[in-house]
């Protein structure tokens, strides 16, 4: 396969990243500023908030305020995670959400433990959300977790992923993001998974959401981009994964992804220097280390 | 190209890793124990010391004592860096060194700044070392630095790397290790470099020594392994690169390389669990963070 000429990078830092940050609730204005800076750096697709019960995810309790604070830029899509109908209603009420996201998994054990239902039940729950989205002309993205391995069930068969991805498309999702949630994939395994899925869902409707728990994310992304996949989820500064403490896990850093894509001659529309500035700014705000090697390398001017 | 069935991992942590560690001189017995543990974990090729002037690299001042302390295991090759004839003589005097290593670069600016000579002069300096090695039946490995980019000269042309690699083989090196010293490579660039070099030197005499400064090392290693390269240099716990502070740079972590290779179905002979134990042990000894994501992930039992 030829490499895609361009890749759309979906920035999940403000949502998938920040919701996994330990410590104090991050001020709303910090979250809003992060979204603004990301758009300014050329990110055209930003997952900005999660409309989930603050009981479950206190860090996302100000989702409506975050959306209200965003000064939307033309050409940028602002997305929100909406795990249930109530969340979807709240997201739509803001009048600022271009896209909603729903999630399920390729592992029955994972949906059972995480959202207390079967995969089929999780898909059923999407029906009213899809209807509401359609009424408001808002597109819906589907996430599938544990596409390679599951912390409870072990290896996941590619055909299982393909079936769930197909269901999400059939139910109206415009795109399916394939999540290696625990980061256990290696290049040939993710290629085999993608091959199976792309027989059920066209490649242009698929995204890779690979975690870097075992350091494999970039190698895996290179492998799937070689297969023609052209949408990648990532998180500025690797937010959501701890860069050095025990228990490190989480999102691959956007800067590192962009560096690789640009090195491969693939366009992203992203200004890497601006993105690195944003990366240092947000890690300063959070008082945490930076999970992006590119940010560390460019930040200290060592080459 | 088919993937190689097996890859030889060359562990450079005790030398290239430790010599770049800041802080106090590490006790000789710690270095010796590290080498022993690595051999026990299945590493068959360990660069154990550098016979360089302690004025330049104080951390390697006990090279002879380290070699003397090593209880050699059958089937394991113990290598030492010997930047000059005096170092080579000292290495041979220990009676424990199976292999010596010499280094030059693909960039004139780099050899000029680092070893104050031209590339041609650096190659001339190897002549007496090669002769001495031959007299003692010791093989010599050649390192080429800056095979993709140079901090002083920028991009390096693949043909320049090919010419230097060829010279090293012609002068008697049994293997040439190609170093992306500042870690600026991306998959297609390292593939183009390898393609040029492998026209001058057979693939089975080439090794990849890729630094992870920009987080690209594993993706690049995957790319060259796909081309049939079957020798990889790496450093346990990513020793030699700081895992989180500014100025991060340095070796890719052996654990992360091994995880990828095993995931690809490639044999290494390495016991990953034992290696991870060694990784935690040495970072505890050094009081530093762990630069291997696999070590962090496996260490905390999160999957």
């Amino acid at each position: 396969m030829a490499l895609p000429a361009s890749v759309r990078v979906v920035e999940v830092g403000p949502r998938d990243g920040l919701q996994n940050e330990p410590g104090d609730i991050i001020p709303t204005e910090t979250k809003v500023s992060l979204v603004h800076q990301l758009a300014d750096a050329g990110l055209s697709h930003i997952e900005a908030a999660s409309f989930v019960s603050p009981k479950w995810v206190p860090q996302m309790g100000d989702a409506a305020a975050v959306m209200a604070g965003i000064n939307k830029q033309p050409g940028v899509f602002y997305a929100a995670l909406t795990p249930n109908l109530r969340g979807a209603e709240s997201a739509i009420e803001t009048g600022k959400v271009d896209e909603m996201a729903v999630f399920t998994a390729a592992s029955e054990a994972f949906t059972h433990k995480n959202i207390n239902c079967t995969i089929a039940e999780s898909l059923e729950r999407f029906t009213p959300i899809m209807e509401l989205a359609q009424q408001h002309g808002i597109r819906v993205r589907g996430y599938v977790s544990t596409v390679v391995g599951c912390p409870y069930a072990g290896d996941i068969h590619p055909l299982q992923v393909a079936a769930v991805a197909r269901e999400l498309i059939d139910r109206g999702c415009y795109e399916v993001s394939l999540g290696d949630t625990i980061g256990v994939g290696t290049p040939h395994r993710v290629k085999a998974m993608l091959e199976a899925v792309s027989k059920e869902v066209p490649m242009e409707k698929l995204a890779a959401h690979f975690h870097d728990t075992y350091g494999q994310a970039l190698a895996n992304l290179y492998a799937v981009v070689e297969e023609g996949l052209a949408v990648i989820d990532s998180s500025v500064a690797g937010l959501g994964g701890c860069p050095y403490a025990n228990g490190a896990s989480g999102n691959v850093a956007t800067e590192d992804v962009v560096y690789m894509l640009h090195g491969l001659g693939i366009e992203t529309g992203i200004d890497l220097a601006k993105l690195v500035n944003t990366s240092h700014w947000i890690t300063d705000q959070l008082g945490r280390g930076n999970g992006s090697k590119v940010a560390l390398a460019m930040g200290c001017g060592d080459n």
Side-chain angles (χ1 to χ4, degrees), chain A residues 2 6 8 12 25 43 45-46 61 76 112 115-116 121 129 137 156 160 195 211 224 230 240 246 255 270 287 293 298:
Chain A
S6 67
R8 174 158 52 87
V12 300
I25 301 294
L43 271 307
H45 201 125
I46 303 169
V76 179
H112 182 74
I115 45 179
N116 197 29
E121 284 165 354
I129 300 175
I156 298 298
Q160 213 166 322
E195 195 185 351
H211 282 192
V224 296
N246 268 358
E255 304 92 300
I270 294 165
K293 295 209 168 181
M298 286 179 63

Side-chain angles (χ1 to χ4, degrees), chain A residues 237-263:
Chain A
L239 294 180
C242 185
Y244 44 83
N246 268 358
S249 75
N251 295 290
V252 63
T254 307
E255 304 92 300
D256 298 8
V257 171
V258 170
Y259 187 94
M260 182 177 80
L261 294 173
H262 289 182

Side-chain angles (χ1 to χ4, degrees), chain A residues 8-24:
Chain A
R8 174 158 52 87
V9 176
V10 174
E11 173 60 47
V12 300
R15 196 282 301 175
D16 196 19
L18 295 186
Q19 82 171 27
N20 288 309
E21 286 296 312
D24 298 338

Side-chain angles (χ1 to χ4, degrees), chain A residues 144-291:
Chain A
V144 186
S145 295
T146 62
V147 299
V148 180
C150 167
Y152 316 114
D155 289 352
I156 298 298
H157 197 286
L159 291 179
Q160 213 166 322
V161 186
V164 176
R166 171 66 185 269
E167 273 287 337
L168 285 167
I169 294 292
D170 287 351
R171 286 163 183 270
C173 289
Y174 81 100
E175 183 168 277
V176 173
S177 177
L178 303 163
D180 180 11
T181 311
I182 56 172
V184 293
T186 40
H188 284 198
R189 285 186 71 191
V190 299
K191 269 168 76 170
M193 180 275 296
L194 182 64
E195 195 185 351
V197 175
S198 62
K199 282 182 184 157
E200 295 292 332
V201 176
M203 192 69 90
E204 59 269 25
K205 294 191 173 188
L206 295 173
H209 184 109
F210 294 166
H211 282 192
D212 201 34
T213 320
Y214 291 78
Q216 310 293 309
L218 270 196
N220 294 342
L221 289 171
Y222 170 56
V224 296
V225 166
E226 274 207 313
E227 298 297 306
L229 192 91
V231 184
I232 294 175
D233 298 359
S234 60
S235 173
V236 63
L239 294 180
C242 185
Y244 44 83
N246 268 358
S249 75
N251 295 290
V252 63
T254 307
E255 304 92 300
D256 298 8
V257 171
V258 170
Y259 187 94
M260 182 177 80
L261 294 173
H262 289 182
L264 290 167
I266 296 173
E267 286 181 20
T268 66
I270 294 165
D271 181 329
L272 185 56
K274 273 191 179 178
L275 181 61
V276 165
N277 285 341
T278 300
S279 175
H280 288 300
W281 175 83
I282 187 64
T283 51
D284 282 351
Q285 295 295 313
L286 302 177
R288 59 161 266 166
N290 198 310

